[in-house]
């Protein structure tokens, strides 16, 4: 299921990225980014009135070669962004760190040949703009191949750059004990935040899973090292990844476990905790029954009462 969603997402992402990949000219605007040391560059273009392309992302100011940042006031500027797949040349004006103008793009015809030699044939002239924008450079491609990543195609290389799957990231994930090499799983790691630090912290909390699907599910559902430690402190220790995920899905929290302990139910097992939440046996429900004289009920009896509609 995760793989199906990712495949669909990659297709949609690439359609939007490449819809105007054949563009040779367009408009640019530039402003300061919220990220220190970065600038926000927006590129817009239209092709034959039928397709449009918009790209807005943070760039290192140094990547815009030749741009005059020093002159005060409004002044004309030129810049060039040279990457393996092609070159973007811009001209326009700049004032107080913001600017606008026009750009042209020239693809590198040799890039497609070099990509084919690396095992990624079929990069068309129409796609060179996307490979330039996302900087799918040849050194990066060689690094991904050297890292042993499987099921990589030319489209996934763009997804890698968008989401931050780098050779260094793959190496760090492996060093943390997760030997994942499948392309879509690595993309899912980056989308959902399965980082080397997260893996180490989860292992440090006593959950030694290296299963990629489980780690992704942990991030989706909020199974964090803090959550695990909170459960342990509350007396509901479990190292079973499936049960931890079920805890988060059904709402078994350290607070819930602590409330049960206060009501005289210390250290209930994981299955019972999940059943309590599924059937709506809350601390308030238990207290209401006790107020009506139904004392000394076991957790199993409380679950049965809820199943049979005794409120």
């Amino acid at each position: 299921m995760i793989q199906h969603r990712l495949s669909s997402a990659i297709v949609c992402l690439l359609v939007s990225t490449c819809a105007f990949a054949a563009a040779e000219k367009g408009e640019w605007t530039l402003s300061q980014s919220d990220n220190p040391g970065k600038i926000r560059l927006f590129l817009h273009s239209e092709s034959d009135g039928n397709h449009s392309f918009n790209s807005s992302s943070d760039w290192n100011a140094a990547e815009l070669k030749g741009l005059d940042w020093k002159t005060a006031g409004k002044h004309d500027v030129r810049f060039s962004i040279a990457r393996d797949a092609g070159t973007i040349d811009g001209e326009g004006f700049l004032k107080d760190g913001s600017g606008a103008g026009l750009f042209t793009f020239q693809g590198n015809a040799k890039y497609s040949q070099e990509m084919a030699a690396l095992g990624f044939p079929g990069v068309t002239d129409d796609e060179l703009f996307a490979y330039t924008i996302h900087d799918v450079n040849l050194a990066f491609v060689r690094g991904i191949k050297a890292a042993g990543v499987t099921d990589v195609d030319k489209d996934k290389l763009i997804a890698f750059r968008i989401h931050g799957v780098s050779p260094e990231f793959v190496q760090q994930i492996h060093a943390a004990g997760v030997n994942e090499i499948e392309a879509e799983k690595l993309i899912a790691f980056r989308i959902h935040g399965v980082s080397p630090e997260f893996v180490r912290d989860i292992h440090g909390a006593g959950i030694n899973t290296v299963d990629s699907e489980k780690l992704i599910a942990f991030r989706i559902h909020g199974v964090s090292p803090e959550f695990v430690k909170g459960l342990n402190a509350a007396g509901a220790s479990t190292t079973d990844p499936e049960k931890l995920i079920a805890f988060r899905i059904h709402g078994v929290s350290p607070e819930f476990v602590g409330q049960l302990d206060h009501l005289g139910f210390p250290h209930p097992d994981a299955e019972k905790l999940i059943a309590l939440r599924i059937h709506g046996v809350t601390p308030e429900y238990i207290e209401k029954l006790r107020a009506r004289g139904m004392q000394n009920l076991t957790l199993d009896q409380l679950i049965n009462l809820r199943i049979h509609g005794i409120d």
Side-chain angles (χ1 to χ4, degrees):
M1 180 62 73
I2 289 174
Q3 288 186 348
H4 174 73
R5 289 198 302 267
L6 277 172
S7 297
S8 299
I10 291 170
V11 169
C12 291
L13 175 142
L14 292 174
V15 167
S16 63
T17 301
C18 298
F20 194 73
E24 295 181 353
K25 59 185 178 180
E27 302 169 355
W28 63 268
T29 58
L30 182 152
S31 60
Q32 295 299 316
S33 169
D34 293 333
N35 295 319
K38 301 279 189 177
I39 55 102
R40 170 68 52 165
L41 181 63
F42 177 78
L43 300 174
H44 168 77
S45 207
E46 293 185 0
S47 176
D48 301 327
N50 296 320
H51 301 290
S52 64
F53 170 80
N54 295 293
S55 169
S56 181
S57 56
D58 285 349
W59 297 59
N60 292 317
E63 291 187 90
L64 279 66
K65 302 293 184 184
L67 186 61
D68 176 10
W69 296 97
K70 296 180 180 179
T71 301
K74 184 177 180 180
H75 58 284
D76 293 339
V77 293
R78 294 177 179 271
F79 64 85
S80 180
I81 301 170
R83 290 178 165 174
D84 287 355
T87 301
I88 299 170
D89 290 308
E91 61 178 25
F93 73 89
L94 193 67
K95 180 182 179 182
D96 300 329
S98 297
L102 303 175
F103 75 84
T104 59
F105 172 70
Q106 180 62 53
N108 175 12
K110 292 183 179 179
Y111 177 81
S112 299
Q113 300 169 12
E114 292 172 301
M115 286 287 282
L118 288 171
F120 299 96
V123 177
T124 67
D125 290 346
D126 287 350
E127 294 172 328
L128 290 175
F129 188 64
Y131 284 82
T132 300
I133 288 291
H134 298 296
D135 194 17
V136 183
N137 60 76
L138 299 171
F140 169 78
V141 177
R142 293 187 187 100
I144 288 295
K145 286 175 65 70
V149 180
T150 62
D151 299 320
V152 187
D153 57 31
K154 64 188 182 75
D155 293 340
K156 288 195 181 74
L157 288 171
I158 291 182
F160 278 8
R161 293 300 279 172
I162 290 170
H163 296 293
V165 177
S166 65
E168 295 75 20
F169 174 75
V170 177
Q171 292 162 7
Q172 291 165 3
I173 281 288
H174 291 177
V178 181
N179 294 319
E180 183 58 71
I181 58 173
E182 185 181 331
E184 289 203 359
K185 295 273 180 56
L186 291 166
I187 294 169
F189 278 6
R190 293 298 285 173
I191 289 172
H192 297 293
V194 179
S195 65
E197 295 76 18
F198 175 76
V199 174
R200 284 193 291 269
D201 289 346
I202 279 290
H203 290 174
I207 313 301
N208 293 318
T209 184
V210 294
D211 183 288
S212 295
E213 293 282 357
K214 298 280 193 313
L215 290 166
I216 294 167
F218 278 6
R219 292 297 288 173
I220 290 171
H221 296 292
V223 178
S224 65
E226 295 73 23
F227 176 72
V228 175
K229 291 173 183 176
L231 288 172
N232 292 342
S237 300
T238 180
T239 59
D240 184 336
E242 293 284 0
K243 288 189 172 62
L244 288 166
I245 293 166
F247 279 5
R248 291 297 286 174
I249 290 171
H250 297 293
V252 177
S253 65
E255 294 74 20
F256 177 71
V257 176
Q259 290 170 327
L260 290 176
D261 182 61
H262 181 71
L263 290 169
F265 300 106
H267 310 297
D269 66 51
E271 293 289 352
K272 208 153 266 146
L273 285 167
I274 294 167
L276 290 169
R277 294 299 291 173
I278 288 173
H279 296 293
V281 179
T282 64
E284 294 77 16
Y285 175 72
I286 296 170
E287 289 174 335
K288 184 169 70 171
L289 291 180
R290 287 180 176 178
R292 291 161 55 187
M294 302 176 74
Q295 304 289 331
N296 303 318
L297 294 171
T298 67
L299 291 177
D300 284 331
Q301 289 172 326
L302 288 164
I303 292 169
N304 281 327
L305 287 172
R306 285 296 282 170
I307 289 172
H308 291 96
I310 305 301
D311 292 326

